[in-house]
Amino acid sequence: MSTAVHAVYSPTPADGYITETSALQATTENLIKSHVPPAGESQVELHKRCHFEFLVRNLRQGFPERYTSQDASQPWLIYWTLHGFSILGAGLDDLTKKRTIDTLLALQHPDGGFAGGPGQAAHLLPTYASICAFAIVGRPGSGGGWEAIDRKKIYDFFMSLKQPDGSFLVSHHGEVDVRGIYCLLAVATLLNILTPELLSGVPDFLATCQTYEGGFGNASFPGWAFEADDPESQKDPAASFDPTAPRPPLGEAHGGYTFCATASWVILQSYIDLYYARPGEMPSASLPRRPQINTRGLLRWCVQMQGLPIELGGFRGRTNKLVDGCYSWWTGGCVVLVETLLGVTTHHEPPTEENAGEEDGHKAWDDVDDSLFNRRALQEYILCAGQHPAGGLRDKPPKPADAYHTLYCAAGLSAAQHRVIPSEPRRKAVISAWDADQARAHDNTGFVTTSDVDREKLDALRRETCAHVLSWSEEEGTALYVGGAANRVNATHPLLNLTVTHSDSMMAYFYGQTLPARIPARSRT
């Protein structure tokens, strides 16, 4: 399998007017192009051993001095390192797991959630990183860490951050940010603490954060939605909230915000189906109008962020910015989520007598890649420009490697190699084996329903959300390995950025379910 297309690389047009920005773009293009192996040279290699040693150095020797700025991101450093091992296919010894569990539990805040460092305030982002790290190193039983996670306090912490418009502060006295909403929803999904009071208004708020470009900004402006937004006003902000008021998004569309908002929207689909009016149905007090996003605009923005051939198909995070390896995940990994919303990724049912003829017709398309971004080009960028010679992965040459880019370049490489998409047969298998009593018994939120109807809807919310998240499977026959199978990395869950094994195990425990065995998902073509 070839490493790169050795074609004539055309630079980005500068319209005959050189600016500081266009000069930097041209310099970057030349640097990236210089990392393409000469034509006829052997296949480009993923230097797994070098990257493994880079992660081991960080884990065993500690991080270099320049990481002191990350003192409030200690769970992130742990998660980036551990999940980097998972993607590269390296296991962890029991001592490392125990030390990690002890460290994470020391960061659990007494009032709920996890802090970024000892003695610091709880925050949604390190709470997500901590729970993901627990998914990797933890297990049920004594000393496994999972039983020591205080889910009731996490839920209360989440509720204490909830705002009248459905958004959440990232911490007490902090700001509203869609990254925090994603972290909260991912944790609530993994730990079985989803409730209608937690999710109330969240879809409506997320929809206001989409920009005219199609991607998402970090939040939306609340000024017109709250009559009492003036800090000198004596009115209660919650009482004055007008959900019909315009909410301009704050900031331009950005890869990180767009991934978090889109993943949140996908997670929320079961809640939207249950608690909002369906398309064509008249809204009511109990079933309000269904919020909408511009899914086609979102797709257009995501795919337009992939760079030109001279940029080797790397992704950028904003319009007219430089490509950056981390957006291999944040933007490239977001494409499959949008494909899901558009219905592009639906698996076919197993062959039967009724659909046998249809299956035969699909065979003619077996070699077609249905992905809506260039998977081969993205792999070429990471393999040629994203690898640091001393180990670890990076933004782009000549920058150094770091823990953050090592994970998100590896995750982007995984997203380009594997098509992990929702499997309807898998979803049905999870629902068929579902034990509603166990799921209800494992709910540790303290949330109480007021009627049988509400209880049934909450049961359905747990079941449908859990089954959807657990349904994501690698589509058989669609793997693509630039440089050959030796460059293969493990698949990671598009919604959670964990391996499917880790997310399955944690969710089975916290929902009290015995999951059916996974069967490789058949290609839909």
Side-chain angles (χ1 to χ4, degrees):
M1 193 173 292
S2 63
T3 57
V5 178
H6 293 92
V8 176
Y9 294 108
S10 300
T12 301
D15 299 327
Y17 185 78
I18 305 301
T19 65
E20 182 178 348
T21 300
S22 66
L24 180 59
Q25 175 70 26
T27 299
T28 301
E29 290 173 357
N30 289 329
L31 273 170
I32 292 173
K33 184 176 66 172
S34 70
H35 284 72
V36 177
E41 193 169 290
S42 61
Q43 294 178 338
V44 68
E45 177 187 354
L46 177 64
H47 302 294
K48 291 183 182 179
R49 184 174 182 84
C50 291
H51 306 323
F52 174 77
E53 290 174 350
F54 172 82
L55 294 172
V56 169
R57 284 196 301 272
N58 290 341
L59 185 67
R60 299 298 187 196
Q61 299 176 14
F63 288 88
E65 184 180 359
R66 61 191 175 93
Y67 282 88
T68 54
S69 62
Q70 303 298 309
D71 180 62
S73 300
Q74 293 178 41
W76 283 105
L77 297 174
I78 294 170
Y79 164 64
W80 294 333
T81 301
L82 299 184
H83 191 42
F85 283 128
S86 297
I87 293 177
L88 292 175
L92 298 170
D93 61 275
D94 290 342
L95 178 59
T96 297
K97 291 180 180 180
K98 182 181 184 306
R99 290 177 59 193
T100 302
I101 291 168
D102 291 343
T103 300
L104 293 171
L105 289 177
L107 301 178
Q108 186 165 214
H109 196 277
D111 296 329
F114 286 78
Q120 298 177 15
H123 193 289
L124 290 180
L125 274 64
T127 298
Y128 163 83
S130 297
I131 297 304
C132 287
F134 270 119
I136 297 168
V137 301
R139 56 175 174 78
S142 177
W146 289 356
E147 294 177 0
I149 298 173
D150 195 328
R151 293 186 295 146
K152 177 63 169 68
K153 285 188 176 180
I154 290 178
Y155 181 80
D156 291 343
F157 170 61
F158 285 175
M159 288 302 301
S160 72
L161 301 175
K162 190 169 182 63
Q163 303 301 294
D165 62 353
S167 65
F168 292 87
L169 303 176
V170 294
S171 64
H172 293 145
H173 312 295
E175 72 279 10
V176 168
D177 191 314
V178 295
R179 294 173 299 182
I181 292 175
Y182 164 72
C183 290
L184 179 148
L185 292 176
V187 169
T189 301
L190 285 166
L191 298 186
N192 186 17
I193 54 174
L194 292 170
T195 69
E197 71 169 352
L198 182 70
L199 303 183
S200 175
V202 178
D204 306 85
F205 173 77
L206 285 173
T208 68
C209 299
Q210 189 171 23
T211 76
Y212 72 94
E213 289 187 272
F216 285 80
N218 70 306
S220 61
F221 184 70
W224 291 302
F226 292 94
E227 293 178 14
D229 195 54
D230 183 351
E232 297 182 0
S233 172
Q234 300 301 312
K235 292 184 178 180
D236 177 15
S240 68
F241 173 60
D242 178 7
T244 65
R247 294 289 299 267
L250 288 172
E252 61 187 313
H254 182 281
Y257 300 134
T258 298
F259 174 89
C260 290
T262 305
S264 297
W265 192 260
V266 174
I267 291 172
L268 287 166
Q269 287 306 293
S270 298
Y271 173 74
I272 293 173
D273 286 342
L274 288 164
Y275 290 87
Y276 288 86
R278 291 185 174 273
E281 186 178 2
M282 184 67 68
S284 64
S286 59
L287 292 173
R289 185 179 303 277
R290 192 182 187 94
Q292 302 287 335
I293 64 170
N294 183 350
T295 312
R296 292 184 178 276
L298 173 58
L299 175 65
R300 181 178 63 248
W301 183 85
C302 286
V303 298
Q304 287 181 343
M305 291 301 104
Q306 187 160 25
L308 298 172
I310 198 171
E311 299 167 294
L312 297 186
F315 275 88
R316 54 180 49 83
R318 289 180 286 167
T319 302
N320 290 331
K321 296 295 183 179
L322 302 175
V323 292
D324 181 335
C326 72
Y327 295 112
S328 303
W329 173 256
W330 296 123
T331 314
C334 188
V335 174
V336 72
L337 302 179
V338 188
E339 291 174 352
T340 300
L341 293 172
L342 288 169
V344 175
T345 58
T346 305
H347 279 286
H348 278 273
E349 293 284 353
T352 64
E353 292 182 3
E354 289 76 12
N355 66 19
E358 180 182 348
E359 290 294 316
D360 290 339
H362 286 306
K363 290 179 181 177
W365 298 89
D366 280 347
D367 294 331
V368 175
D369 185 352
D370 291 330
S371 300
L372 298 182
F373 73 101
N374 191 328
R375 296 166 63 196
R376 179 181 295 277
L378 179 56
Q379 292 184 55
E380 290 167 354
Y381 177 85
I382 297 168
L383 293 171
C384 296
Q387 299 190 88
H388 193 279
L393 294 145
R394 60 187 173 184
D395 166 352
K396 67 179 76 65
K399 295 189 176 183
D402 59 69
Y404 169 84
H405 283 91
T406 295
L407 174 62
Y408 291 111
C409 285
L413 180 62
S414 173
Q417 288 185 352
H418 308 279
R419 271 182 66 77
V420 180
I421 62 178
S423 165
E424 183 62 15
R426 172 65 179 172
R427 189 189 73 85
K428 289 180 177 178
V430 172
I431 289 178
S432 178
W434 189 258
D435 188 329
D437 292 334
Q438 281 294 318
R440 198 179 303 125
H442 281 70
D443 174 7
N444 200 30
T445 63
F447 176 76
V448 179
T449 55
T450 57
S451 69
D452 290 342
V453 172
D454 289 342
R455 189 188 72 172
E456 290 175 2
K457 287 181 71 171
L458 177 54
D459 286 344
L461 175 64
R462 290 195 196 97
R463 181 186 67 246
E464 296 300 325
T465 303
C466 186
H468 173 73
V469 173
L470 292 172
S471 76
W472 290 70
S473 310
E474 183 171 1
E475 191 174 24
E476 188 178 23
T478 60
L480 174 65
Y481 307 123
V482 170
N487 286 345
R488 181 192 182 277
V489 297
N490 284 333
T492 191
H493 198 302
L495 283 174
L496 302 170
N497 203 6
L498 290 167
T499 66
V500 168
T501 300
H502 290 144
S503 56
D504 278 10
S505 298
M506 176 169 263
M507 293 182 71
Y509 174 75
F510 284 112
Y511 286 81
Q513 302 300 307
T514 301
L515 300 181
R518 281 188 173 270
I519 300 173
R522 298 177 59 257
S523 172
R524 71 183 189 89
T525 55

